Each structure stands twice: as C-alpha cells, then as structure tokens.
Amino acid sequence: MGGNNKIVAFCCENSACAAADRAGKIRLYYPDNVRVIRVPCAGRVDVLHILKAFEKGADGVLVMGCQEEACRHLTGNTRARERVKYAEILLKESGIDGERVRMVNLAPEMAHKFAQEVSEMTERLKGLGPTPIKNGGPQR
Amino acid sequence: MIVAERKPLEEIKEMIAGYKRILIVGCGTCVTICWAGGEKEVGILSSQLRLAFGKDGNELLTSEVTIERQCEREMVEELRDKVQEVEAILSLGCGAGVQTIAEVFEETPVYPALNTKFVGMPEREGVWVETCRACGDCLLGETGGICPVVRCAKGLLNGPCGGTKRGKCEVDPEKDCAWTLIYRRLEKQGRLDLMRKYYPPRNFQAVTRPGKVEALQA
Amino acid sequence: MQVKIGIFLCDCGGSLRNIDFPKIRGNLEKLEGVAFVDISHNLCLEEGGKALASRILSEDINRVVIAACSPELCEHNFMRLLESLRLNPNFLSIANIREQCSWAHKEDVTGKALELLRMAINKARLLQPLERKEVPVNQEVLVVGGGFSGMESTLELSQLGLRATLVEKGSALGGKLSELEGFYGLGASPKEMLGSMTRAIEEGKNIEVLTSAEVTRVEGEVGNFTVRIRRGGEEFPRSFGAIIFATGYRAGILPRDFELRPSVNIISQRNLIEILQAPEKLERKPETIGFILDVSDESSRLATLLVLNNALAVKEKWGSEAYVFCRNLKVDSDGAEKLYREARATGIAFLKFEKKPQISEEDGRVKVEAKDVLLGEEISLSCDILVVEEKGLPPEGTEALSSILNIGLDSQGFYQNENVYLYPVDSGRKGIFLVGACRGDLDISRASMDVASAVMGVCELLASGKAIVEAEKVRVDPDKCRACLTCIRVCPHGAIRLVRVNTEKEVAQIYDLACEGCGICAAICPAKAIDFEGYTDEQILAEVEAIGE
C-alpha cells in the first residue's frame, strides 16, 4: 500500500464498529481511504500492530475504542490510550510524525464523530504528506 | 531478577550504522519479565529500526529471535546458523547475555540494546524497583528482610540518620525511610534489640572484581 | 488441511450500485486457494442461505468469506449456518461492504470493496477451528448480606428453583429494614416488610441462612467458586456457581460536613429514630426541629428519603414545627416527589441555601443561619433540635472484600461496577454480582431492580447446569509463557490464574468460562505467549497487509 493517505482504523466492536456502521447507514460521506480492522476491544491493539501498519505503508493509524470510563472491558480503552502515546514516542524515535497516530473514544451512536475523525486525520495526512516508508521496507 | 531498560533508538541506530543485515536477539528470562528484552520488545525494536532505516532510504535486513537464556553458552549456540547470515548482532539481554554472545561468536560484533540497571522486583504492573545491590555481604537476616544498602538513600548500615521524618527520607520525601521500615519490621518480630547492634564500616577492598561464586555441591 | 475458500458477494438486492461486482469476482477468482466467487442478491434471506449452504457442501470448501452487510447484523446467523453444515463456525470471515463501504461513500468504491475482501480473505486463510465445549457449572448461589437486597435476592432465586445460601454478618436478618422508622409513601412499613420477608425465607425452599457469618476468601471462577466462610470461630469451604453481594451501606455523618460535635441538641437521623421509637426518653416535646441536608455536596437519595420520612414522623407524632435546610433536594427516588409534596402540605418548610449555613449553639438551643436563595433573605432559626444529614457510606470491610474479590472500588469506596451503563450489576468478574446500596446510593425500588437483573444474570449462567464455551479461544502457550504474571495483573475479568503444568513449570492459564474475550492480555504479553483466535497478531497483520495491495 502507500500513498493516498491510507488510514488503518483499529475499531472496537463494542463501540467504534457500530459508529462506523451508523455513519454509513445515515450516509455521512467520509473519505474512502480508511480501512477498519475490527478488534474485540481497543485493548487488543498492540503497539506492534501500530508500528507494523506503518511498516506496511499506512500513512495514519486510528485506534478507536469506547468512551472514557465506559469500556466494555473496564480498562481496555485506557490501556489503548497509553499504548497510542507509547506508539507516538516510538514512531518519533524512528523519525515518523507522532501525529499520524491517534486515539479516539466514541460511543456506538457517535457516527458523526467517527466520520469527523476520519476526515480530520485525512486532512492532517494531506498536510504531512505520505510517510517516508516506501514499500513496507525489507521484510524479515 | 535482573532489571534492564531499552536504550534510546538514536543510540542503537548509531551503533549499527553501516550494517545491512543484523540479528536481533531477545532473552526469555529476566528481561522478558521486566518488559525490556522479550519477544515483544524484539519485535518493537526491529520494527522501529526498519521504519527508521526505511525512512532514510537505507536498507536494513533484520532477523528476530528470542532464546531461553542469553547467559548460557549452550543456549546461545543455537543461534549459530542465524549469526552466519548477518554482519552484527543486537542483543536485548542483560550485560551477561551480551558478553556470552560475544564470547560464543567472537568474529561478529555484538551490540547491547539495553542498559542493565539493577537486581529488583516489580512494585506494581510495569514498575520495577531495585531491591538488591549484589554487594556480596548480605545482612538481610538482621534487618528484618529490608536492605539498607539499597533502600536507604545514604546506604547507611547504622540507621536511621537524623534526616528521617515521619517515616520518610530527607533526601527524597516521597520515599520511605528504610531504617524506619526496618524498625517497624523488627518490632513486629520482637527483635528490636537488633537496632542497637553496631555494624562496622565495610571493607569494600575485600570485594574482588569480577565476582565469582563457586558452588560446592557437585 | 489445505485451505479452500468459497467467496460469496452479496449486492443487497442489487442496491449497492457503486460497486462493480463482476469486476471484483474477476479479480478474486485468480487468487490462490479460492474455489469460487459467487454473486448473490439476498444472502440474508432463506433462499440466499440455502444457495450458500448447497454451494459450501458441493464444493467442499473449508473457509467462507462473505462480503455483505455489517457483521453485527449477519455474523451470528452465518456462523450458525456453518455449524449446521458441520463446518467450524470460526471458518468465517466477513467483509463489510455495505455500511462501511457502499453506503459510506458517494463515488465508485469497487477498489475499496476489493481491498476489504482481500483483508477478509487474508484473515480467512489463517483461521483455526474453535471447539465449542460444555462445561458443568455449580448451581448453588451465595448471597452475601441479609438486608433488603440480600433477602430479596435469596427469595427470587429460591422461587426460580436455585439453591441459595444467605450469609449475614449480624446475628439476625434485616439490615436497615430493622432500623428504619418508616417508608412514608411506600405502602408497607419496614417492620411489616421485614416480617413478611423473614417468614418467606423461613418457609422458602432451597434456602439456607447463615447468620453471624462472614466470607473470608473467594477463589475460583464463575461456575465453580470456592468460598471460605467463617462462623463462630470455625472456618469452612463451600462451593458456589455464582455470588451476589448485597452488603448494603453504612449511614454516617461526614466529619467534613459539621465542625460541631454532636450534642444533646445536634443529633443524627439515627438518634432521632431512637427517640421516636422510645419517646419516654424525651424530657419535653421539641417544638421546633431543623433538618439539614447537602452540606458539602449534592445530597444522596438515601439521605433525602430519610430526612423526608423523619420530618413527617416528627410532625405526625409530636406536631413539631419542622424546617428542612437543603441545597438541591434529590427527589428522583420512587415516591420521593410524593413524599415531598406531602411534607409541604403538612406545613414543613423547605429552605434552599447555596452557601453553607452557620450553625451555633446558644442557651441550649441551636441556631441555624442561612440565606434562602428563593426568598433572597437571611434566615435565622432557633430550634430545639437540629438533625444532621447522614450519608450512605460503604460498609466496613468493603475494602477487604474488594481485595479478596479482585474488584475495584469507586472514588467513594463503594464497589466499582463493570461498565455502569451497560452492565450495572456486573462486577467485571463473571458470576459475581453487586446489588443494592453496596454499589452506590440506591433507594429501595432501585435496589429491587438490581436484584431482578442480578437474579436474571445468575439464571442465565447457571440455570441449565452447564455452560457452553469456545474452548481455548484465548490461549496461553505454556512453552512460551514466562510466568511473569503480567496477564494475571491486567486481566479486567480476573480470568487468568497461575497453574502448574505437569507439576513442573508454573504458567498462566485462561479460564474459558470467565474470559470475556477482550484480548488485553494478548496485547501486553512480553513473551508473545498469548494467542486470541480470530484476532491473533498474524491475523490482524494479514488484514493490514492486504491494504493497498
């Protein structure tokens, strides 16, 4: 992949997935560069998943989980938030802009917020340009 | 366990600059448990390096492996085939691990990706504290199982000093005064008389480097 | 087993016009391991399902990829369909090309749909079968706390045929029911209520009551808890399938609320009730009685109800003048509004302050000075007795129990629920429920609702005597596990424990029935020893891989 401001959105199936579905249902047209990967909880998302997404050429990563204090699994979304912060640090160390990764908290009915976050990230990525990673780099 | 911490990426990058093929080796014992050098950390470092090199347009081939214990020659030996394919090794083991690898593969440069910090224990999830300085002259039996050498900011053998205040240390008021802790512990054990015992200054000259332990059991 | 994938594309009755289905079919047919690509118009209808089933059987495929509407809508049905065809239900991978693709974008999205399909196909290749297993569960239930909520839980469980053991710390059942003077506006008096409930418990089937008993230890997981109970100096273990905690609350005066020490004239609600019950202790009838609420923060429901009840009681019994100083009267409990109106009608005055009133003692009387924000006037009341607010506080031992149970406490020290909006009576640990005032400021009608939901939850888990689990969906590889305890410390559902494998090495093990499948452990394991089938690292990264191919 690469180019076209590709966004990988890891979405919690208890909230963000439903918000994304709803955004489609009510026809909130948002940029089509986002690819949702369904996860059982934002807490399932590992720092490695985020890093590898960039390795494979993603331009931006969104981790989308339940609202603060309303995680189906109590601590999943707060852990996800901490991991996104950690991923930002790791990416910066590697010379990649930390703004390319973002944690989003939303409720299942927050379709507008989903669409807005995707649009905002897309705009941000336009400003930053494509990631310097060309073809996913050499594989192990 | 031995507690270590990852070096900043910048430092690691500088160490391995110029190499195109490296082997990143994790250790499955102490440093896995303290989140510094297990399989996951190997993956993170490897990914970070590929991103950093890829960004600069440089090629870097990384292979990843985590072995049981880097401080055992026989276990390090398992790496032989992989080592032949690379120019350098990046070890996420403690200092002992790095040295064992270097000894087994003398022709290949080995670089440490971690800074080995101390012998410690988890305080809570993700936080480790130093509990043993490996001083080689253990007196825990007489201090209620609390080490003043490590846990007293001044390393006093005869405490507490005048700087103890409501159980906290004058050097860092956030920290507990080790000697107050010792007092309370001995009190529970009915052994407060030990507080009066005088410990003469230690003869650090007697500690020879490198330390060595030879077991008598055969 | 070689992977043989069957792909079904559903165009939702031909409505997904911005996707070129034949083009997608042409593109996917060439992929390795793909047996066929079918285009359907109605996979969700009976005929579509039948066509799908017959194709799966005739082509003998072992992975099914479906591009259709949201998996939230269709996944469950397709899984059951696969199961009916004797194909493992986990061999299913869905691409959401409707809500998250066709409907979400105006322009042609064939390219995106194709990518979503490739993601699903990549994942499908790596899917492993999951075995569904029956696990026996113990049907006995432990109820802790013999107050209203605990008694109600016990009675409801027994009516549903589940054996319940009720453990009460005190020497008799009743809790606050035996202490309160009255529930004005709620029909039965607490005494009557307690009487009829006690009788029902005595007569009820499948009920065991242990008074003067305490829980000291809880081990194990849902379906098989081992609880140690201490009673009269001896401690014994018992097994239960589920536990309901109904430990109630403790009424107390917050020291930060009143600088004044309680005295003869400044008394607590409880003191007032004692006097009401034994008026002979009183030298003379108090003519003016003040009540004060919400001193430091918003009032609690329980405190408000108590004040309203007691103000009405003094009015009725002694005919005293009663004044209630309050900030915001919280009348959202059942019957509270009615109670408030009744109080107003009988002549009880409510004075609304914003700034904390001044309280002083003078010649054996209590003076309360406050500014009433509605009248806009400074008011000074001299009363015979001032009755101060009592807050609902966590009962003693809550902290100790919470650490035994591995359940968190909230900022006020009450038990912390799992997601309070979605699962109000769940504790975060499956099979342990929290009902009534032990989880916060709940009045009796709210507590009844809690009891009903918790009893439902217990039935769901235990009624059939067995539970069906997806065995080892989340699994620790014992060879890779370093027993670092990280997963055990982070599991929000207390579903992981340390076990000895072949009596040698200690490793973490996930208890299938207690696991809620969040994957937090898999993401944090420093040895990468935990796999979550359906969401393994490989499967997630295979999806990422397909993006932009």
Side-chain angles (χ1 to χ4, degrees), chain A residues 1 6 13 21 24 27 29-32 34-36 38 40 43-44 46 49 56 70 72-73 79 83, chain C residues 70 75 96 99-100 103-105 112 115 418-419 423 492-493 516-518 523 528 535 537 545 547-548:
Chain A
M1 79 186 161
K6 276 279 156 65
E13 65 179 13
D21 282 354
R27 305 298 195 277
Y29 301 116
Y30 55 85
D32 68 357
V34 62
R35 300 289 175 268
V36 168
R38 190 169 165 224
R44 171 64 191 101
D46 189 335
H49 300 153
K56 311 276 184 207
R72 163 72 183 84
H73 300 289
R79 284 187 189 281
R83 287 179 196 153
Chain C
S70 168
E75 188 175 47
N96 181 348
E99 284 85 347
Q100 290 180 17
W103 286 1
H105 313 293
K112 177 169 177 179
E115 261 185 48
E418 171 144 26
N419 187 328
Y423 308 96
H493 304 293
E516 302 263 18
C518 59
K528 286 271 158 234
Y535 302 99
D537 288 338
E545 193 103 28
I547 297 171

Side-chain angles (χ1 to χ4, degrees), chain C residues 145-354:
Chain C
F148 171 79
S149 302
M151 291 164 83
E152 183 79 3
S153 302
T154 309
L155 285 171
E156 286 195 20
L157 287 167
S158 111
Q159 278 160 16
L160 291 164
L162 289 170
R163 224 186 120 66
T165 301
L166 177 57
V167 168
E168 162 60 37
K169 202 155 68 166
S171 57
L173 297 179
K176 295 285 175 293
L177 285 184
S178 53
E179 294 172 14
L180 295 177
E181 172 61 10
F183 296 137
Y184 287 79
L186 266 192
S189 80
K191 298 247 152 44
E192 288 164 20
M193 213 172 206
L194 176 58
S196 69
M197 286 177 93
T198 314
R199 265 195 307 284
I201 282 181
E202 276 163 10
E203 291 160 9
K205 279 182 192 143
N206 303 321
I207 295 176
E208 180 188 5
V209 178
L210 299 174
T211 47
S212 308
E214 265 182 284
V215 170
T216 56
R217 229 179 142 73
V218 177
E219 274 165 1
E221 291 86 10
V222 53
N224 186 23
F225 288 109
T226 304
V227 181
R228 294 193 73 84
I229 299 171
R230 192 192 308 143
R231 193 187 190 201
E234 62 164 335
E235 205 176 284
F236 52 92
R238 288 281 301 269
S239 294
F240 298 99
I243 307 172
I244 296 179
F245 278 89
T247 45
Y249 71 103
R250 169 173 64 91
I253 296 170
L254 287 183
R256 67 159 194 267
D257 284 359
F258 301 96
E259 293 102 28
L260 291 168
R261 280 173 188 281
S263 64
V264 195
N265 308 87
I266 302 178
I267 63 173
S268 69
Q269 300 284 350
R270 211 139 307 271
N271 297 144
L272 178 68
I273 292 172
E274 277 161 22
I275 303 172
L276 280 167
Q277 284 168 350
E280 64 277 2
K281 283 186 191 163
L282 218 59
E283 284 170 22
R284 61 179 183 88
K285 261 192 221 167
E287 277 166 20
T288 316
I289 300 182
F291 291 88
I292 187 158
L293 262 169
D294 332 338
V295 176
S296 56
D297 52 15
E298 203 179 321
S299 68
S300 62
R301 291 190 188 102
L302 292 169
T304 309
L305 279 173
L306 203 56
V307 165
L308 292 173
N309 273 326
N310 289 343
L312 276 163
V314 296
K315 195 87 193 163
E316 189 184 297
K317 293 207 171 166
W318 302 329
S320 319
E321 291 281 306
Y323 296 85
V324 178
F325 289 89
C326 56
R327 205 186 293 254
N328 283 312
L329 205 66
K330 202 175 210 172
V331 286
D332 69 333
S333 326
D334 235 12
E337 176 79 28
K338 188 167 163 249
L339 212 54
Y340 167 66
R341 284 173 192 282
E342 222 174 287
R344 291 281 301 262
T346 52
I348 296 167
F350 288 83
L351 301 160
K352 184 177 163 72
F353 62 84
E354 260 165 19

